[in-house]
Amino acid sequence: MKNTVEIDIAIIGGGIAGLWLLNRLRQLGLSVILLESKALGAGQTNKSQGIIHGGAKYALQGLLTSASQAVSEMPQVWNDCLKGKGILDLSSVPILSHHQYLWSTGSLASKVAGFFSGMALKGNVRELSRDAYPEIFRNAQFKGQVYSLEEVVLDVHAVTRELVKPNQDVIFKIDQPQDYQIKFDANGRLTSLEIQAEPIEPIQVKAKKYIFAAGAGNEELLSPLKSHGITMQRRALHMVLVKTPFNYPLFAHCLGLGATPRITITTHYTHDGQPVWYMGGQIAEEGVRRDSKEQIQVARKELQELFPWLDFTAAEFATFFVDRAEPLQESGKRPDTCYVKEVENVIAAWPTKLALAPRLADEIAASLQRENINPHAADLRSMRAWPIPALAKPVWDELL
Ligand code: FAD
């Protein structure tokens, strides 16, 4: 006879969405397990730049979209957690930077200044005097303008670790996505979830709700629910890593003419302490048409143009492609906020931004509370033999 685990909630996927949710739902007294097929954070989460957006980035060029409104509460929620006074305790997570800089090149300075005078009134963005510039911009060759934006940048690897720590007893590794046998009925109800991994006995997971928070993995897992309106889109990025021969800890967006920053740089350190600039923004969006060699050439040229006073000759470059996995939008563009869709006993979830994970979890928790799911303690003895997934390594430690 097959082993059966009866549980309130089964979460598939151990990125920021699944892990934040796991913590929140256990707080409500629900019995929860989380199944992860690679390493915890191995999808988009450990490739994220760790920026807790409050919407100012989206308001570039004066466009205050609904996206910027949806994320505007997130910095406060995260800051409370980072101080140990929030819904989750993240007080031991290092803050890589308390603010980000926005900078314009000389030719755009006046255009950008006009826009930011409006923003500055809201207290989001502060124009800096030259003597308050970060060291990297205190060079006679820098002709632009620098603004400070009060939004934190986090060590995402540490966030993942903190979310995992209290939950190691309920997180299990599934070796292959094929290790699942999932059946849905015609109404979209999940009727059977069986997991198997030789030589461990197969286990039938019986949950009151199954939450799919598997990022890009949701596409395959939820393909039977397409007719119920759950469809995913991918927006690709070609990110660049640069191990710099100098140490300027930079967290900054270079403003271009479009709504996406020309380049967004965050600074991280490899396990042996080497500084790495991690670069996204327009260069990563447009870079999907380039191979790695071309992308590195473009990145070198861009950096030399933006920082002519620095020498990148000895810098070591690496690039990689990654998809942002999101609910399908008619426009094909970024969704405005997180996505939660419930079909029968299945919930599909995409946070669409790391910063929005708390909001995603709140929406799901509220929906479960409305349904009055009575918490019951689970007996997980039959899962004792299942391995625990490792934490994913930061991407700069994998590639540089
Ligand atoms: P993921 O992090 O992709 O996690 C999904 C997990 O599910 C993975 O661990 C995966 O291994 C697992 N999985 C997949 N298939 C299965 C399966 N069949 N069974 C079990 N497990 C499975 N957002 C911000 O707010 N700020 C930023 O600075 C930022 N920077 C970003 C930079 C990049 C390059 C990218 C790609 C995204 C960035 N984002 C940022 C967006 C943010 O990273 C994502 O929205 C968020 O990490 C998505 O989290 P997730 O948990 O839904 O998915």
Side-chain angles (χ1 to χ4, degrees):
M1 205 177 94
K2 266 178 211 152
N3 286 316
T4 300
V5 165
E6 291 195 21
I7 196 97
D8 293 325
I9 311 288
I11 299 174
I12 320 288
I16 190 72
L19 290 170
W20 194 288
L21 198 53
L22 173 65
N23 282 271
R24 284 287 281 118
L25 299 186
R26 290 190 91 190
Q27 273 179 350
L28 302 177
L30 295 164
S31 55
V32 190
I33 58 169
L34 184 147
L35 307 172
E36 164 59 48
S37 66
K38 286 190 192 136
L40 297 159
Q44 299 151 86
T45 298
N46 82 328
K47 294 165 193 89
S48 123
Q49 291 190 279
I51 298 169
I52 302 303
H53 301 285
K57 187 182 104 167
Y58 304 136
L60 296 176
Q61 308 304 311
L63 294 169
L64 196 70
T65 62
S66 46
S68 48
Q69 285 156 22
V71 293
S72 63
E73 294 153 15
M74 290 302 111
Q76 188 61 50
V77 172
W78 281 86
N79 281 334
D80 289 346
C81 294
L82 292 163
K83 286 183 195 141
K85 295 179 184 157
I87 192 110
L88 301 182
D89 182 1
L90 297 180
S91 54
S92 56
V93 169
I95 296 175
L96 298 181
S97 179
H98 286 273
H99 45 249
Q100 300 152 50
Y101 295 106
L102 302 161
W103 93 93
S104 59
T105 55
S107 56
L108 278 179
S110 57
K111 192 170 188 293
V112 168
F115 165 59
F116 277 128
S117 57
M119 289 285 293
L121 289 174
K122 285 193 221 131
N124 291 335
V125 175
R126 203 161 40 92
E127 183 172 348
L128 297 181
S129 59
R130 257 193 124 73
D131 55 356
Y133 282 7
E135 199 190 338
I136 190 169
F137 293 116
R138 278 190 238 149
N139 186 291
Q141 289 188 64
F142 177 63
K143 303 283 184 234
Q145 178 62 50
V146 183
Y147 301 81
S148 166
L149 167 65
E150 299 308 308
E151 289 174 3
V152 296
V153 184
L154 298 182
D155 177 340
V156 175
H157 188 67
V159 173
T160 309
R161 189 190 60 219
E162 285 311 302
L163 297 178
V164 169
K165 228 190 243 171
N167 297 300
Q168 304 203 25
D169 53 332
V170 296
I171 299 179
F172 302 100
K173 169 108 168 66
I174 306 300
D175 270 339
Q176 300 290 334
Q178 305 85 277
D179 288 345
Y180 297 106
Q181 278 190 3
I182 305 180
K183 292 184 186 139
F184 297 92
D185 70 14
N187 297 323
R189 185 172 192 80
L190 194 154
T191 52
S192 164
L193 169 64
E194 191 177 309
I195 47 177
Q196 46 197 334
E198 299 285 340
I200 305 167
E201 288 291 304
I203 293 189
Q204 184 74 34
V205 177
K206 287 201 167 163
K208 293 171 191 159
K209 290 278 175 192
Y210 300 86
I211 303 177
F212 288 81
N218 273 358
E219 183 169 45
E220 194 186 330
L221 290 167
L222 292 173
S223 57
L225 298 189
K226 264 193 184 159
S227 58
H228 296 269
I230 299 176
T231 317
M232 197 186 89
Q233 71 180 19
R234 291 169 190 261
R235 287 185 307 124
L237 292 170
H238 192 175
M239 302 294 285
V240 182
L241 294 160
V242 191
K243 205 191 264 183
T244 57
F246 37 76
N247 188 9
Y248 288 114
L250 186 59
F251 299 87
H253 309 271
C254 174
L255 304 173
L257 281 171
T260 305
R262 178 169 162 186
I263 201 163
T264 291
I265 299 177
T266 50
T267 306
H268 311 267
Y269 293 88
T270 57
H271 67 280
D272 55 352
Q274 299 294 308
V276 174
W277 279 4
Y278 185 29
M279 309 200 309
Q282 202 181 336
I283 189 173
E285 292 193 353
E286 291 176 357
V288 296
R289 297 190 290 267
R290 300 186 274 263
D291 65 20
S292 184
K293 201 170 152 209
E294 288 165 335
Q295 180 72 335
I296 290 172
Q297 276 168 358
V298 170
R300 268 193 187 280
K301 193 162 162 272
E302 186 77 337
L303 288 174
Q304 214 52 78
E305 202 176 308
L306 293 172
F307 305 100
W309 58 94
L310 296 178
D311 182 1
F312 289 90
T313 320
E316 193 183 324
F317 285 71
T319 75
F320 67 91
F321 290 88
V322 58
D323 286 333
R324 289 161 292 180
E326 304 159 339
L328 182 69
Q329 307 295 294
E330 261 177 40
S331 62
K333 292 192 177 152
R334 162 172 30 82
D336 275 351
T337 186
C338 56
Y339 174 93
V340 176
K341 170 132 183 181
E342 204 161 341
V343 176
E344 298 281 338
N345 56 351
V346 171
I347 298 177
W350 282 287
T352 72
K353 280 269 145 213
L354 178 100
L356 283 163
R359 184 180 167 130
L360 179 94
D362 282 353
E363 284 186 20
I364 294 177
S367 151
L368 295 175
Q369 280 178 314
R370 277 195 299 274
E371 289 188 42
N372 277 331
I373 293 186
N374 279 330
H376 94 282
D379 179 355
L380 295 180
R381 274 175 299 182
S382 55
M383 295 203 71
R384 263 191 209 140
W386 283 76
I388 300 171
L391 277 187
K393 273 194 197 165
V395 69
W396 36 92
D397 278 331
E398 275 173 15
L399 298 178
L400 286 172

